[in-house]
Amino acid sequence: MPEPADLKTLSRGPAGGGVPLDATVPRLSLLAHPGLAAFLSARLLSSFSAQVQAVAVGWQIYMLTHSARALAWVGLAQFLPMVCLILVAGHAADHFNRRAITVTCQIVEACGALVMAAGSFGHWLTPGVIYGMVVLFGTARVFEMPSQQTFLPALVPAAIFPRATALSSSLFQFAAIMGPSVGGLLYGGGAGFCYAVCGAGFGLAALSTYRMALTGAAPARRPMTMETLLGGLRFIRARPEMLGAISLDLFAVLLGGATALLPVYADDILHAGPVGLGLLRMAPGLGALAGGLILARRPLQRHAGRRMFAAVAVFGFATILFGVSTWLPLSVAALAVLGAADVLSMVVRGALVQLRTPDEMRGRVSAVNTLFIGSSNQLGEFESGMLASLVGPVEAVVLGGVGTVVVAVVWMRLFPALRRLDRLSDLRPG
């Protein structure tokens, strides 16, 4: 992918990684950095394969059971490993070889997908076996994510980290958009064929991760104690701007999670049917993809904190607009704006979490961040559904949007350090 943006000022990379760059270099492709292309391809392949596999698991478990409750058990099997193991995964990322952890997890995912392919072709894959494999995949993802999230600061200098984050987020959104669609098409060839493709994708991701050019000393191994497990939480709590960014995202997504109600809107409010539902589900991802590409080309230069608060407020107002809309094009546009605003917030939060954290703490801090994001998505859907059952879907979405705007205003006063955050490229560990 060609890199059009001009790098006028570059600084040295974070301690223990990155490539020192001279400020006089007029133009340099992001993908020219050693290992970055391998990182992006590994993340894209892993995320894409996970999305395709999720579609296959959902279809297959429903075909075997014809039970909506069985689908709920799949969600629980995915969520439990995160709740139980995320802090352990963070400890492992900080005290063992991160690349080895990530490659091992991706190989486990590849082997698991091939086992499910064999079970589907051999007609011995039962719901119980599928639940067990979903737990295995969930466990592998829990250990993979904190380690994988620490790679980017070791591959690019701090000056272009926000652009690299935006590009990485764009590719992730591409996987989120295309994965379910491709999964549905591949499932037409049978569940076994679908799982076999996923196995190949995870295997290629492992190969790309192995090929990354990482620098820095090997982490010092320490025994797992409550002190090391809770180190990430304590680190974030002691840094108001980081705590503010993570908690702001938590409450914004928790209150503004309208995606759980998209089937209700498509059927009862917009009268758009399944095609309309597909457009609504695709819109946030398309907006996020566009926003990420724009930020990769034209990164945030100044006033990052204020722009993050503005993005969260826009997220809230877009949620309100979607809530009151009865016209499908307007609803799709509101969800696209919502997705774009979410990416800007994600870039600022990602820079804070990765660049303000010393390398020896990045795994545990990334684990806490992952837990907050996962919890907000899951609980946000639960909150939206429960509130809609009490007051109605439109009222639930509008109240959630209003709540998001209120949280943005309150957080500006509670976390002045985050509001004053200026250049993301100036962030340093500490």
Side-chain angles (χ1 to χ4, degrees):
M1 181 181 298
E3 174 52 50
D6 191 18
L7 301 184
K8 302 205 187 240
T9 56
L10 298 176
S11 63
R12 291 185 180 272
V19 180
L21 296 176
D22 192 287
T24 61
V25 178
R27 182 181 292 271
L28 187 63
S29 169
L30 276 176
L31 298 185
H33 289 281
L36 181 57
F39 166 78
L40 293 175
S41 62
R43 189 178 187 207
L44 176 62
L45 286 164
S46 178
S47 300
F48 190 85
S49 299
Q51 292 284 347
V52 172
Q53 184 170 270
V55 171
V57 167
W59 272 107
Q60 190 173 35
I61 201 73
Y62 191 73
M63 291 298 99
L64 290 172
T65 65
H66 296 284
S67 168
R69 183 174 296 180
L71 294 175
W73 284 114
V74 171
L76 183 64
Q78 292 174 325
F79 185 64
L80 280 179
M82 175 178 290
V83 174
C84 298
L85 297 173
I86 191 65
L87 295 180
V88 177
H91 169 89
D94 282 337
H95 298 99
F96 296 91
N97 187 302
R98 293 164 177 166
R99 175 161 48 189
I101 292 173
T102 306
V103 169
T104 300
C105 290
Q106 290 166 345
I107 291 175
V108 167
E109 291 163 353
C111 292
L114 294 178
V115 168
M116 295 185 75
S120 298
F121 286 129
H123 305 288
W124 52 261
L125 200 63
T126 64
V129 173
I130 293 176
Y131 294 138
M133 296 304 295
V134 169
V135 171
L136 176 66
F137 284 119
T139 301
R141 295 292 288 178
V142 165
F143 279 87
E144 177 185 354
M145 287 186 292
S147 293
Q148 189 180 61
Q149 289 173 14
T150 66
F151 292 149
L152 202 53
L155 293 171
V156 299
I160 60 172
F161 182 85
R163 294 175 57 208
T165 300
L167 181 58
S168 176
S169 299
S170 298
L171 292 177
F172 181 80
Q173 292 298 333
F174 174 80
I177 294 168
M178 297 303 298
S181 301
V182 173
L185 293 175
L186 291 176
Y187 199 89
F193 175 70
C194 201
Y195 292 133
V197 171
C198 292
F202 286 126
L204 290 173
L207 180 61
S208 295
T209 302
Y210 179 77
R211 294 178 59 247
M212 284 192 308
L214 294 174
T215 60
R221 296 190 180 184
R222 295 174 55 190
M224 188 170 60
T225 64
M226 288 303 296
E227 180 71 22
T228 60
L229 282 178
L230 300 179
L233 287 169
R234 294 195 179 101
F235 184 89
I236 291 172
R237 184 179 178 183
R239 286 151 184 83
E241 74 280 11
M242 195 181 298
L243 176 62
I246 293 176
S247 59
L248 176 63
D249 180 80
L250 170 66
F251 285 104
V253 175
L254 181 64
L255 294 172
T259 54
L261 300 178
L262 292 185
V264 178
Y265 266 79
D267 187 37
D268 298 338
I269 297 172
L270 300 172
H271 306 292
V275 174
L277 177 60
L279 291 173
L280 293 176
R281 288 198 178 279
M282 189 180 297
L286 289 175
L289 176 61
L293 292 176
I294 290 171
L295 288 172
R297 173 188 281 267
R298 306 180 71 87
L300 296 174
Q301 298 291 345
R302 299 292 304 274
H303 312 301
R306 293 180 183 177
R307 292 184 178 184
M308 179 181 186
F309 282 114
V312 173
V314 169
F315 184 97
F317 285 122
T319 301
I320 296 171
L321 180 59
F322 170 76
V324 300
S325 172
T326 56
W327 185 40
L328 181 61
L330 181 59
S331 299
V332 170
L335 290 175
V337 170
L338 179 152
D342 189 43
V343 161
L344 193 151
S345 173
M346 187 190 325
V347 167
V348 176
R349 185 183 70 249
L352 269 170
V353 169
Q354 297 297 337
L355 298 181
R356 284 280 287 147
T357 306
D359 186 65
E360 65 272 13
M361 288 288 300
R362 282 199 181 110
R364 282 168 287 176
V365 172
S366 295
V368 174
N369 186 41
T370 299
L371 179 61
F372 272 57
I373 294 171
S375 299
S376 64
N377 289 330
Q378 298 286 339
L379 295 177
E381 293 184 4
F382 176 76
E383 177 270 338
S384 295
M386 292 298 294
L387 188 59
S389 67
L390 295 174
V391 301
V394 173
E395 292 80 0
V397 172
V398 171
L399 286 174
V402 171
T404 299
V405 175
V406 170
V407 165
V409 173
V410 172
W411 255 237
M412 286 185 70
R413 297 185 63 87
L414 290 178
F415 298 96
L418 178 59
R419 186 181 70 244
R420 292 192 296 265
L421 180 66
D422 191 22
R423 296 180 185 272
L424 296 179
S425 58
D426 291 338
L427 292 171
R428 294 292 182 271

